[in-house]
Every structure is written in structure tokens, then in C-alpha cells.
Amino acid sequence: MYTGSERSRADVFEDLFAFDTRGGGLTANARTTSFVYQGVTGNYFTGLQLRPHAGRMLTPGEGEYPGGEAIVVLSYQFWQRRFGGDPSVVGTIVRVDGVPTRVIGITPKNFFGLYHGLAVEGYVPLGFISMREKVERQRFNCAADAVREVQERADEFGVERDRAPCFERDPRRVRGESSRL
């Protein structure tokens, strides 16, 4: 992640921002839908000179580091499709990938993101992405420790060593013959 020091050295550009695209889920009213979102620097919307349709956008410096309340700006199109354009959604808490997150605003109707052909449905601070990755690493490390213990103590548990759960360092590939972590 880059910091304000890089921004201050941007002599050629009026502004400089970063973003990272992710896919996950958004849960509201006990219903989860797939959700394509971007982690963005706080100056993303000001750099693009965008004004919100409703609520507010992220502000420069906001949420670039983990900590504080998780917030999201929904795309106008997602807001229409998922919430029927209900203005009372702004200010409510939804779950983005399981994390309680406050909806702070809605993008302008005519903003479709920076990727042609990719419908970005929401925008969170880059710090949200960093926090989620840290939590995922911690969960993976706990699962890996449990698998290692089972493998080391297979005889004690009455499991043949070659039937003990397999372990690979890549968290997307943790697998086991009789159990799944």
C-alpha cells in the first residue's frame, strides 16, 4: 500500500490513488449475495471528482490503515438491484465477507468503475482489505496448527498416519480425506 508521501511526490499528476478488486459476499436482511468490491484509497473518489448520489464518499486518508469502523460505498446499480433504491440503506450495517460494515454512501448513477466490462458493486477502504487478509492468515495458521497436531498424534487418535489430513501451505488447498478444515 502506498502512503501520503508518494502522493506528495506526484508532480506530474493532479492526484494519485490505488485500488484492489475483490469478490466476496454482502449480507443484508438475512440474505447474502455475491459482491464484487474494490479496496480504494481515501482519495479515490475525490481524485475522480465524483460526488455521491446519496450519503457521502470516502475522504482522503480515510480508512487507509486497519482499525476503526468498516465502511462501504455501494454502486448506484447494486443499490438499485439489491435494495430497490431505498435511501434508508445509507447508514445501515451490512456484512461484507462477514464483517459488519456501515453503508456510508451511493456512487453517482453514471459511474461504473474504472474497468470496462467489470461491474464493481462497492468500495471499501484499502485498510479493510488489509484487515481481512490478516484475519484470514490467522484463521489459516490456527487450522494448520490443528492439522499438524493431528498428523503428529495420529497413533494416539487411532488414525493411520497416511489417512491423517493432508496439509499444504496454501490456505486454498487445505484438505483432508475424512475431514475438511
Side-chain angles (χ1 to χ4, degrees):
M1 178 173 9
Y2 83 110
T3 62
S5 63
E6 286 87 357
R7 208 176 287 134
S8 65
R9 291 185 298 219
D11 296 345
V12 177
F13 303 103
E14 187 172 314
D15 207 345
L16 180 67
F17 53 82
F19 56 93
D20 184 17
T21 306
R22 301 294 170 107
L26 182 137
T27 304
N29 306 322
R31 193 176 107 219
T32 302
T33 54
S34 63
F35 187 60
V36 176
Y37 62 96
Q38 287 184 331
V40 300
T41 52
N43 65 321
Y44 179 83
F45 295 109
T46 56
L48 294 171
Q49 301 178 348
L50 296 175
R51 303 249 186 271
H53 174 80
R56 69 178 184 85
M57 302 295 209
L58 298 173
T59 57
E62 183 175 35
E64 291 182 12
Y65 301 96
E69 182 178 41
I71 54 178
V72 63
V73 174
L74 299 177
S75 75
Y76 180 90
Q77 295 73 25
F78 183 78
W79 173 62
Q80 288 290 319
R81 188 175 65 253
R82 177 65 171 80
F83 298 102
D86 181 357
S88 70
V89 167
V90 175
T92 64
I93 302 292
V94 297
R95 289 184 169 275
V96 175
D97 289 342
V99 177
T101 307
R102 183 172 307 280
V103 177
I104 63 165
I106 310 298
T107 63
K109 184 177 185 176
N110 61 350
F111 180 67
F112 299 96
L114 298 180
Y115 288 127
H116 179 71
L118 175 66
V120 176
E121 299 166 318
Y123 303 85
V124 299
L126 271 177
F128 179 87
I129 302 271
S130 300
M131 177 201 60
R132 287 212 62 260
E133 287 175 348
K134 182 178 179 182
V135 168
E136 287 173 4
R137 274 193 307 274
Q138 288 172 340
R139 286 183 185 159
F140 171 70
N141 289 337
C142 289
D145 291 344
V147 168
R148 267 193 294 278
E149 183 175 350
V150 169
Q151 287 176 330
E152 290 168 2
R153 299 175 62 194
D155 294 334
E156 194 177 318
F157 290 117
V159 176
E160 295 175 31
R161 282 191 189 278
D162 63 342
R163 302 231 357 128
C166 298
F167 169 71
E168 295 183 27
R169 277 316 271 174
D170 185 343
R172 294 164 294 191
R173 302 175 103 182
V174 173
R175 66 183 192 280
E177 288 221 7
S178 59
S179 64
R180 186 164 181 87
L181 296 176

